[in-house]
Structures are given as structure tokens and as C-alpha cells.
Amino acid sequence: MESLTALLVGLLVAASVYLMLARNFLRFLFGLILLSNAANLVIFAAGRMTAGAPALVPEGASVPDGVIGNALPQALVLTAIVIGFGLLAFTLALTFEAYRRLRTLDSDEMRHAEPDEGKTEAGR
Amino acid sequence: MAEDTDPNAPWITLAGMLPVAITAALFIFFAGYLPGIAAGDTVRWAWAWIPSLDIALSFWLDGLSLMFALLITGIGALVMLYAARYLAGHPQYPRFSLYLFLFMLSMLGLVLADNLIALFVFWELTTFTSYLLIGFSHADPKSRRNALQALLLTAAGGLALLAGFILIGITQGTFELSVLNAAGSLSGDAWYLPILILVLAGAFTKSAQVPFHFWLPNAMAAPTPVSAYLHSATMVKGGVYLLARMHPSLSGTEVWLWTLTLFGGVTTVFASVMALRQIDLKQTLAYTTLMALGTLVMLLGGASGYAITAAMAFLLVHSLYKAALFLMIGVVDHATGTRDADVLGRLAGKMPATAAAAGLAALSMAGIPPLLGFIAKEVAYAGAVQSPVWPLLILFGLTANALMVAVAAIVAWRPFFGPQGQLPRPPHEGPWAMLLGPMALALLGLALGLAPGYAALLVEPAVNAVLGAPDSGGRLKLWAGFNLPLLLSGVTLALGLVLYLRHQSLRDRLIWLEARVPDLDAGWDRLLEHFMAAAKGQTRLIQTGRLRHYLFATFTVIVATVAVTMLARGPAAPAPSMGGLSVREWGIAGLILAGTLAVVLTRAVMTAIIALGVVGIGVALIFIVYSAPDVAITQLLVELLVVVLFAVAALKMPPALDPEGRQRHRPADAVLALLAGSVTTLVLLMVTSLPFDRRLSDFFEASSYAEAYGRNIVNVILVDFRALDTFGEIAVVVTAALGAFALLKSVSKARTRSGGAEGDREDRA
Amino acid sequence: MNSIIFSAGARILVALLLVFSVFMLLRGHNLPGGGFIGGLIGAVGFIVYALACGTAEAKAALRVSPEAIAMVGLGIALSAGLAAAPFGEALFTGIWIWVGGDSYATAALKPNTVLVFDVGVYLVVLGSIVSLACAFEEEV
């Protein structure tokens, strides 16, 4: 499954890079979500994948029974998901405010801080 | 400077007198070492500094460093006392006093440092403090510009010097000067030439050799005590000190001899001619300093006992008379309000003490017996006739010394005995605190000339240190008999007098000539302009202000570095193994593939949001199947929240995404995206094909219940083993939430206040 | 979405989700669950309530502002971490006290800082996400 995950991660990264390079800011956000998913899968797969054996110590025993799923990447990914959500919410708020003020979602037209020197928007 | 000061203000302040007292105490401290060092001892103090790099904070006191230390502290104390009176009542005087004191300490560190890295640090500290001092009148743009010029030029030289020092450390295995000098010449080393060039670059910029000379006359923007101290007696001699210090290691080759002779000689002649051209007496002295630095470099090019004795004796005598003359100019400026050579005249009657000090110092400068300047000049001529390059040395020396005689007369004869012009203020004698310095230094020049044995006490140990071997000594004599050097002195004097009598017409011609040769100072300004233009162009090129350009560059760099590293260092890429996968796995993969393609291809925002949810559920399914129930639950809940938030926000934004078919940058974006995806896949394939290190996982599995009493290992890691990390992470969550909250709320309040904003909300049915 | 059925159902759903979230929080040390998951479930409950009855009512039901809940949670987590100091342990080390016994197996009550820390995480996640969602709901 690690190999298939590697291919899926490649797919997600390619899609997210393509989306993040778009001029529409919503596409950028979609790319960010996909990238966050891809990163989580990379961490998860790098810790090796074991099917059907959650990282639990069975009742009555003091150590797990046999080979179980690797707990460390799971802990890392769990917090990464929540933090990724926080980041996404913040970016979404930023996007929305930018849209409300500038009435555009095109990042090329968001030139409030760095105005184009002597160029008009007609050339694009 | 003088207009900011108040001659009646109290000048004996703590800020002024404490540095004087400390500096004088240091002078006495170092003077105590004089007998021991003269007997051939050396003293070393050392503390570990950066032991891992073999860098120690070590100091070494031998003949050379002692002579410099005494000059720095002795002249330093006199100049600080002088400055207290000169700048009395200046609102910024305490700042000035601090800078001057810090400079003194840096300079002292520079000449005492044994470790090359420590020496470099002190070297740059003198650059830095002198920047603050030159730019002391910071309200004046010219002063700021000149300070910056001195800083950039000498700091650039300092960086070259650091490179040279590091090369020495690598090739010789030590940073300690005492060890290096004892080991003898580096001339056999393969890296000798690069080391020499780098060290000389540092020394020549610091000591203002042509073509790096132009910053020194500009540095005269500083208050006069600074010019007297930094730009005659101490800082500019830093480069000379370095050449003398490294003489045992670097000298003795043809390159050394010719480079130093030519650079020094050209500087000497150029500077003495330019000195004649100046009208401002301070500028005249600045160029004579340049001349002295050239002479010192020229003399250090040699390796004979005579040449080095001449260098050290000249160094001593120059420090004495030049500091005295600068301080004297300050007294005259303070008293009359001008430094114009054509205006000043007949001051001797009103300012007898100043005139006496100026006269003695100028006689020493002109090399008239029985002053120390005469002895130094005789030894220099004696060294020159023995040198392998004697015709050059005689030519440079004779020209420069004759011009020096003329300049001495311009500086010390004309203002006191020559014709008087219209003075801004009636002249009066200076206060004692300002006369003490020039008087003491000028008298010292006379006393040491009359009793050269005491001068030898200071000069000969220094000569031994520079040569790295004991010299025969006894070369400093007032009367050496009728010989070639005496004849040369006579010629010098005669020539100098002729030049003085004709100096005004000569000056006019020099001004005419100067306008017709390239001006390095203006060239410097043009260089800086080009530099700024290049920076501006580069900024315009790189900082386009477009998000996608930044992202494109970032992704390109990431992909390139990972790909190059992988190709160069990574294992062979393993073929993906798809064995043992059931319908379940393929189904999940298909779900993710479909969702991803839909997000990329759709133009409807809602479709994209739903497709994102599909991808998220697919990822959650992977977590469920592969033994991560906690992660899967979290992922599903977050996916739900993402969809809710996006759906709420999307209601107020355009429902359709723009068509991208006509955007020219998309094909290139697609290529980069595919490369990024491929590289990630390859990296993950390589990582998972390597043997797995289970140490951490084994630890957590073994101790989760035994030590932390928890059966859910993931949760135990989160709240116990790595609780500090978790704390940091929840703090990030709070920050992100509050940030978004504040962003949405504050803007909304601003809009409500500005009023009528409700109308521009477009409501969508 | 101002349907009466939805808003009436939402009240019951919120109560159920809240109970469930506390259940997930408490069992988290031994079975899948914990502060993050519990907090997320609780947040989903309140968001459903806010969608059904409006944010004002959802906030009134919470009684304190969600931002305050998040900050209090952060403080609780920090205190649980600092509590290790008086026991001479490194910060954020879990501290267990046995009541009615002398080991984990025999003690009747086992107060510990680990659960306190997880409660802090629960409140942070709950407060932050409810605050975010309400801000979006009100301002967007």
C-alpha cells in the first residue's frame, strides 16, 4: 500500500501545486487543502502502513500484541490535521476580507501594497 | 564644530574626565612594561574564547605592540583632555567622549591581539567606532556621506583581511601570531600569494594607500580631536601595524618588496604634491598624513635593519608631530574661526605658546636637527641607499621630504609670521587644556631628538619584533658624521625652501591640473549610484508583487533541490510494488483520484468544495483501513468543518471560477506541478524502500501502558510523552482562530463606522 | 434553514453530541478518542445548533464566549504541564496520584494531570472552532 500511497501523494501534490499557481485565490485555497492532505499522507506512509491493527494495548496486557500500526506518525498527523484546519480557516478569512474590500479574487490584481509601476491591467 | 560649543561652559565633567583618567592609567600601566620589553621579554595573556574553533582571546605584548600601546594611550589621554575643552558645552559631548573612549579600547585591542580572529574583531571595531566619530555631526549630509565612505571602504578591506586570516589559519594550523611569527616566512606556501593579496587589501584600505586613499581626506569632516587621534596617530596606522606585525611571516619576497615600495612610493609622492594644493590647513595635514603612511609602507617593503629602524622611528616621530600639528590647527580654528592658509597670519604675538608648539612640531616634520624628525629622516636615507631598489626610494623620498619642508612652513610659519588676512574673530591664546597636548608632544619630539637613546628604548624592541630577530641597534644618532644621508638632507632642505617660496603659484597650477585628472572620490559616488540602480533593478525583477511568481519560484527551488539531492545521494528508485492490494484499496484510490481531478477541472465553486470533501473522505478511509482510528475520526470531523466553512464563505463570493484556458502561464504551471508530484512520489518510494528504524515506535509501544498507564498509544503520545509539543500546537490553534476572528470582526466594525457599506454587499439568491 | 423541525431536532442533537464528545474525551486514554476528537465533536454540535437557531442563541447556550473557553483551555493545559514542577519532574511530565492503593492496578481513584491536560486540549479545540465558525456565520 505504501507504493499506491506514494502515487496518490504525487497526484495530490501535482494537483495542489497546479491549483496554488492559479490566479484565482479560491483555487489557491483548494490547492492548500490538497497539499495539507498530501503532507499528512507522506508522514503517515513514511512510518509504514499496517492494516487492521490499531495502536492499542489490549485489556489485561501491558504491551501490544504482535505488530500494530505505528503510533508516532499518527500522533503527528492528528495534530497536523487540526493545525491545518486552523491555518485554512485563517486563510479563508483573509481571502474573504480581501474579496470584500478589493472586489476581486485575482491575486494578480491585488496590488494594494505593491502597485504596478506604470503598467496598466490591460496588458494581461 | 565650533559653533555648537560654548567656551564658557564648564568642561571638567565626569563624562570627559573619567576616560582621560582611565587612559592615562593605562599609559602608566604599559609604561611599566618598558624596561622588561626593552630587555627582550614578551608578555602573553590568553583566555579560551571559541575553543571548538581553536580561537582564543589572547594578547601579546612585545616591542611593536608596546610602542603602539604607549602611543595610543599617551596621545589618547592628551586628545581626550583636549576634546573636553574643545567641545565644552556641546550637547552631544558625552556621546562623543564615549565613542572616542571605545575607539581607544578597540585600537588597543587591535595592537595587542595575538589571535588573528581577535585582531580582526578589534580591527572592525575600530572601523565601526571611527564611523561613528567621522559622522559625529550627523545632521550634516556631507559628514554622513564621508563616514559611510570610510566605513564601506575599510570594512570591505576588513573582510578581505578576514579571508586572508582564515586562509592562514587553515594552511598553518594556528591563529596565534606569536606562533606564526616564530615559525618564519610563509613564502614557501602554495597559498602565499592569495594570503598576501588579501592581507594587503585590508592593510592598504585601512592605511589609505593610493588608490584607496580618498576616504582619508574626506574623514576630516570629523571634529579636529578625532582627526588628530584617528587619522594621524592611530587608526590609519592600523594597516601599517599589520604590515609590521606580519613582517616576519610575509616579507622577504620580491612581491612583497615591489608591491609595498610601489604602492607606498606612489602614495607618498601623490600625497605630498596634493598637500601643497590644499588651502584648508586641516586638509593640508590630512595629505601629509597620507604621505607619511605611504612612506611607512614603502619602508616596510624592505627587510634590512636600517629600513625597519627608519620605519619605526618615523612612525614614532610622525605620531608625535602630526598629533601636535592637528591639535594646534584646532586651537587656531577655535581662536580665530578659520583654517584658511591665505587668511591666517601674524598670530605669533597673540598666541605665543601655540606658535612655539607648532614651530617645534613643524621643525620635526621638516626634519631639521636636533629634532627626532631629523634622526628618523637620516636613518630613512641610510636605509634607502642600501636598499636593492635604492633609485626609487631616493627619488620618492627626496621629492616627498622636500615637499614636507614646504608644507611644514605653510602650516607653521605662515599662520604665525606671514601676512594676515581678514580674520573672522580676533585671535587669543588657547586654554591650557588644549595647549597641553600639542606642547607636550612637540617637546617630546625635541627631547627624544636630543637624547636619541630614550627613543631607541622604544624603537629598538619594536624593530626586533618586526624583524623577528635581534637587530644590531645603535642606529639612532643625532650626529652620524659627514655621509650621503646628510648630503641628501641638505638637498631636501634647499629644495623645500624653494618650493615654499613659490608655493602659491604652484598651488594654482595644481588646482588647474587636478580638474583634469579623473576624480576617484566622484567615481566612488558613481559606483554607489550604479550599485543602488542594480539593487533597484534586481528588486523589480524578483519582487514582482504577484503571488504566483513567488510561489512559482519557491516550488521550483524546492523541486530542484530535492531532485538534485535525490539524483546525487539517494538510492536507486525502486519500482512501485502493487502486489497484495484488494478492491478496497483500489476503490479508495479511485475515490481520491476522481475527487482530485474534479477539483482541478471544475469551474463551479460548490462542485470543487464537494470534491474536496470526497478527497478528504478518501484520505480518512486510508487512515481507517491502516489502523489509525483516531486520525480517521479527526480527519472526518475536520473535513466536515472545512466544507461548512467554505460553503458559508462561498455564498458571498462569485459562484464560478474564471476560465483559465487563455492564460499563458498555465502550461508552465502544469509542467512544474507534474515535476513536483513526481519528485514527491519518488522520495516517498525511496523512503519506504529503505529499512525501517523502529526504535522510537518500540519505545512508545513498550512504555505506553507500563509508564503512562494508557492503552491508546496515540493519545498517550499526545498528552503525555509529547505534551509540550501538543501544548504548542493547541496554542497555534487558538492563535489562528483568534486571528481569523479578529480579522473578520475588526474589518466589519471599520465598515460599519464608515457607513453605507451595507449597500455594496451583493446578495445572491 | 429556519425549519422548526430542524431547530427542534438540533437541540436534541446538540445535547447528544455534547454528551458523546465528553464520552470520547474521557475514554481517549485507553480507546480511540481524546481531547482533539472530543473537542471537534463538541464544536460540530454547537455549529449545528448555530446553523439551526442562529449564532446568538448558540452563544447564549454556551453562556461564556467561545474565545474565553479557548483561552481557559489553554490555561488549564499549561497548568497541567506546570504541575510537574512541584513534584520535581520535568515540565509536562504526567503526574499520577494513587488514592486507596499503592499502584495503578490497586488504586480506587487515580487523579492525574494527563486527563487535566486533555481537558485543556478539549476546551481549546471546542472554543477555537466554535469561535471561528460563529465569526464566519455572523460576518460573511
Side-chain angles (χ1 to χ4, degrees), chain A residues 32-51:
Chain A
L32 198 63
I33 296 175
L34 290 184
L35 194 63
S36 151
N37 274 317
N40 292 339
L41 275 181
V42 166
I43 298 173
F44 187 66
R48 303 304 187 272
M49 297 161 79
T50 313

Side-chain angles (χ1 to χ4, degrees), chain B residues 257-582:
Chain B
L257 174 68
W258 281 101
T259 315
L260 266 66
T261 306
L262 283 178
F263 272 88
V266 168
T267 307
T268 304
V269 174
F270 168 81
S272 38
V273 171
M274 287 304 290
L276 209 57
R277 175 245 170 274
Q278 304 304 322
I279 300 171
D280 181 348
L281 287 179
K282 207 171 154 187
Q283 285 293 325
T284 312
L285 286 179
Y287 277 100
T288 63
T289 303
L290 215 51
M291 169 265 169
L293 294 170
T295 307
L296 285 168
V297 168
M298 188 165 75
L299 289 171
L300 282 171
S304 70
Y306 263 115
I308 303 303
T309 310
M312 292 300 112
F314 184 60
L315 192 134
L316 172 65
V317 67
H318 173 257
S319 298
L320 296 178
Y321 76 65
K322 190 53 60 66
L325 285 176
F326 262 115
L327 295 177
M328 177 280 288
I329 298 285
V331 175
V332 170
D333 187 12
H334 211 249
T336 64
T338 180
R339 301 191 301 247
D340 188 330
D342 286 343
V343 174
L344 292 168
R346 284 208 302 277
L347 299 175
K350 293 280 172 56
M351 308 175 71
T354 316
L360 275 176
L363 288 175
S364 198
M365 172 154 117
I368 311 289
L371 287 107
L372 188 58
F374 170 73
I375 299 176
K377 193 178 52 163
E378 293 293 286
V379 183
Y381 276 140
V385 294
Q386 288 185 346
S387 166
V389 289
W390 64 268
L392 269 180
L393 290 184
I394 301 275
L395 180 70
F396 289 151
L398 201 63
T399 321
N401 283 333
L403 285 161
M404 251 342 80
V405 174
V407 171
I410 295 171
V411 171
W413 177 264
R414 256 198 71 113
F416 296 102
F417 302 100
Q420 190 178 45
Q422 189 62 45
L423 292 177
R425 284 201 288 266
H428 60 86
E429 187 58 284
W432 71 266
M434 285 172 63
L435 283 175
L436 182 67
M439 212 55 170
L441 295 169
L443 282 174
L444 205 57
L446 176 65
L448 290 178
L450 289 171
Y454 288 100
L457 200 64
L458 211 54
V459 170
E460 280 173 3
V463 172
N464 294 340
V466 176
L467 287 174
D471 182 47
S472 56
R475 298 190 208 274
L476 296 182
K477 288 190 286 256
L478 194 52
W479 179 244
F482 290 103
N483 53 16
L484 195 54
L486 191 66
L487 180 69
L488 287 171
S489 281
V491 176
T492 308
L493 200 58
L495 209 58
L497 286 176
V498 173
L499 286 172
Y500 170 65
L501 293 174
R502 310 211 35 171
H503 80 269
Q504 268 161 327
S505 66
L506 272 173
R507 189 168 71 198
D508 296 339
R509 260 178 245 169
L510 283 170
I511 291 173
W512 180 86
L513 191 66
E514 193 192 38
R516 275 153 191 79
V517 294
D519 183 358
L520 281 175
D521 198 31
W524 168 265
D525 285 337
R526 273 200 301 280
L527 181 74
L528 278 191
E529 276 165 27
H530 288 311
F531 200 69
M532 310 245 232
K536 210 172 170 190
Q538 183 202 317
T539 309
R540 208 175 297 135
L541 190 70
I542 298 174
Q543 307 284 333
T544 57
R546 285 166 201 271
L547 180 67
R548 59 189 171 83
H549 290 172
Y550 300 149
L551 283 173
F552 197 90
T554 310
F555 285 134
T556 308
V557 170
I558 294 173
V559 169
T561 43
V562 174
V564 167
T565 315
M566 198 162 60
L567 288 175
R569 310 278 293 272
S577 59
M578 295 299 179
L581 296 178
S582 64

Side-chain angles (χ1 to χ4, degrees), chain B residues 696-736:
Chain B
L696 278 176
S697 309
D698 285 340
F699 166 78
F700 287 125
E701 285 172 15
S703 26
S704 172
Y705 187 73
E707 288 181 21
Y709 316 111
R711 296 186 182 279
N712 180 359
I713 304 175
V714 175
N715 185 262
V716 170
I717 293 175
L718 283 176
V719 296
D720 197 333
F721 290 127
R722 302 185 60 82
L724 183 60
D725 287 5
T726 307
F727 181 72
E729 282 149 4
I730 57 176
V732 172
V733 171
V734 173
T735 313

Side-chain angles (χ1 to χ4, degrees), chain B residues 198-259:
Chain B
L198 290 168
V199 170
L200 289 185
F204 284 180
T205 45
K206 192 83 158 183
S207 280
Q209 299 297 295
V210 173
F212 308 117
H213 62 281
F214 48 89
W215 71 265
L216 180 58
N218 288 338
M220 296 299 144
T224 298
V226 173
S227 309
Y229 191 38
L230 274 69
H231 305 121
S232 65
T234 55
M235 178 180 127
V236 289
K237 296 245 170 74
V240 173
Y241 168 78
L242 186 75
L243 295 178
R245 181 85 285 170
M246 308 212 64
H247 201 274
S249 304
L250 295 178
S251 76
T253 59
E254 290 282 305
V255 196
W256 172 275
L257 174 68
W258 281 101
T259 315

Side-chain angles (χ1 to χ4, degrees), chain B residues 84-103:
Chain B
R85 190 71 186 80
Y86 184 81
L87 290 175
H90 191 288
Q92 307 261 3
Y93 171 69
R95 188 164 69 92
F96 177 85
S97 182
L98 177 70
Y99 291 166
L100 198 61
F101 184 65
L102 287 179
F103 171 79

